[in-house]
Amino acid sequence: MRVAVITGGVGGARFLRGLQALTHTPQWTDLSITAIANIGDDITLHDLRICPDLDTVMYTLGGGIDNERGWGRTDETFTVHSELTAYGAGPAWFGLGDRDLATHLIRTQMLNAGYALSDVTAALCKRWDIGIELLPMSNDRIETHVTVDHDGERKAMHFQQWWLEHKAEIPAQSFAFVGADTATAAPGVIAALSEADAIVLAPSNPVVSIAPVLAVPGIKEAVMQRPVVGVSPIIAGAAVRGYADACLRAIDVETDAAAVARHFGARAHGGLLNGWLVDDSDHEVCAALTDEGIVTKAVPLWMRDVPTASAMAEASLLLAQDLGA
Ligand code: FO1
């Protein structure tokens, strides 16, 4: 079974780790996985190109992730970061780890030498042996910027500044995926989607992780050609992590498993979804969503460890198969 997964960072990476683990079980030996990752979080700091969602997926599947933080490297130190801060060379709010810096140095050297981001990502992933194909949504530069009303004026700031310095506490007026409209999908992305038996929207932030990927010309159209199952990133009315509630509020969507499904829309009515997984605690929404054309199942969605992530990943595949994948 060929699966293409659209993913952001932490939640999507943990989901992918569970999905990849299935390939070692007898009934899923034929499972092949391509992850198409958001690059809207990317930022250039100290002349280094940093790709948080690509790195979080790579480290999580490669065993290098700090599981507590969900991002960056295990056994990490921040000596260079504190030295930079001592020089006043900010931003202090972006925690650049010493081990993590090696990834950014290699990536920046390769980009400067003319390699495409997808080639750089493949090269970095060789070390980590992640067991799936990891593609950036595009090799073009795309960055998510957030428009806010701050100090009496409307201004845009980089997503990371809004997320880390301001902790999403300044209400977002809008999100712009700068560069997306003129970007091209990275090599292999459209093929992975078109040839997939099923496409899964990982339990990532719908607004700043899934949406930027779908904003790259051609990607949403390719997704719409195949069975699509989404996994709710919202459990019992709350974001599992991060500030998805602040992002959803900005686009007038309730922080609710059913509201996010309706936001993506039912394929039968021109939307994305054929199927949707919600947590057991949200089981009461299944009947209504199914009646609206989004076949919805309730399963445990808390990813406590790899086995629980594998169980929910398997549920997404089985639902896709029920839907004709
Ligand atoms: N997230 C944080 O909450 N604090 C940080 O200091 C931080 C640094 C950081 C460095 C490299 C990297 O790849 C990711 C990092 N993240 C950090 C996560 C990053 O902000 C993610 O983009 C968001 O968590 C949203 O996915």
Side-chain angles (χ1 to χ4, degrees):
M1 183 177 186
R2 284 167 302 187
V3 181
V5 181
I6 294 178
T7 185
V10 184
R14 288 177 175 164
F15 177 82
L16 282 162
R17 185 167 57 183
L19 184 65
Q20 198 283 330
L22 288 178
T23 64
H24 307 301
T25 62
Q27 61 271 50
W28 295 104
T29 48
D30 71 333
L31 179 62
S32 75
I33 303 158
T34 299
I36 298 160
N38 169 46
I39 61 168
D41 284 13
D42 294 5
I43 187 169
T44 296
L45 292 174
H46 314 294
D47 284 348
L48 297 175
R49 195 65 184 156
I50 298 160
C51 303
D53 287 350
L54 286 169
D55 292 349
T56 297
V57 172
M58 179 173 74
Y59 292 154
T60 300
L61 277 83
I65 195 77
D66 180 288
N67 277 305
E68 194 55 39
R69 275 188 261 110
W71 53 269
R73 292 278 285 104
T74 187
D75 303 325
E76 186 59 285
T77 51
F78 294 88
T79 304
V80 172
H81 179 251
S82 53
E83 287 295 302
L84 285 166
T85 308
Y87 279 117
W93 43 262
F94 195 88
L96 266 186
D98 299 321
R99 290 173 182 266
D100 195 30
L101 270 175
T103 300
H104 312 316
L105 287 167
I106 302 274
R107 176 185 293 119
T108 304
Q109 284 164 2
M110 289 186 73
L111 290 172
N112 291 344
Y115 290 95
L117 182 59
S118 48
D119 298 325
V120 175
T121 304
L124 291 169
C125 285
K126 276 200 180 60
R127 169 196 171 180
W128 294 101
D129 188 24
I130 62 175
I132 70 167
E133 183 183 29
L134 174 58
L135 301 174
M137 66 198 203
S138 174
N139 283 332
D140 298 316
R141 181 169 172 157
I142 299 171
E143 290 186 0
T144 300
H145 285 219
V146 187
T147 307
V148 298
D149 289 333
H150 194 40
D151 296 337
E153 56 164 340
R154 176 151 296 193
K155 61 180 187 176
M157 66 175 76
H158 191 284
F159 166 76
Q160 293 294 347
Q161 184 171 14
W162 181 70
W163 192 264
L164 301 182
E165 183 178 26
H166 299 289
K167 298 184 178 13
E169 284 163 0
I170 309 176
Q173 301 305 319
S174 65
F175 295 95
F177 309 132
V178 178
D181 48 356
T182 55
T184 306
V189 165
I190 301 298
L193 292 167
S194 308
E195 292 158 18
D197 296 303
I199 294 171
V200 178
L201 306 186
S204 294
N205 186 312
V207 183
V208 294
S209 297
I210 303 293
V213 180
L214 299 174
V216 175
I219 289 186
K220 186 170 184 177
E221 294 75 7
V223 168
M224 301 280 281
Q225 304 307 312
R226 309 301 301 140
V228 176
V229 170
V231 182
S232 177
I234 305 296
I235 294 179
V240 172
R241 55 174 291 116
Y243 314 113
D245 48 343
C247 299
L248 288 165
R249 198 173 308 124
I251 61 166
D252 293 327
V253 173
E254 289 292 307
T255 299
D256 165 83
V260 173
R262 293 184 177 113
H263 167 64
F264 282 130
R267 176 68 62 79
H269 306 301
L272 276 174
L273 296 177
N274 299 94
W276 185 244
L277 286 186
V278 299
D279 184 66
D280 287 333
S281 59
D282 291 310
H283 67 86
E284 75 280 355
V285 305
C286 291
L289 287 174
T290 302
D291 288 350
E292 293 166 28
I294 304 171
V295 177
T296 301
K297 296 254 184 295
V299 296
L301 287 190
W302 282 102
M303 294 184 277
R304 302 187 196 295
D305 50 27
V306 177
T308 48
S310 289
M312 66 193 261
E314 184 169 44
S316 71
L317 300 184
L318 295 173
L319 178 51
Q321 287 178 337
D322 288 352
L323 296 169

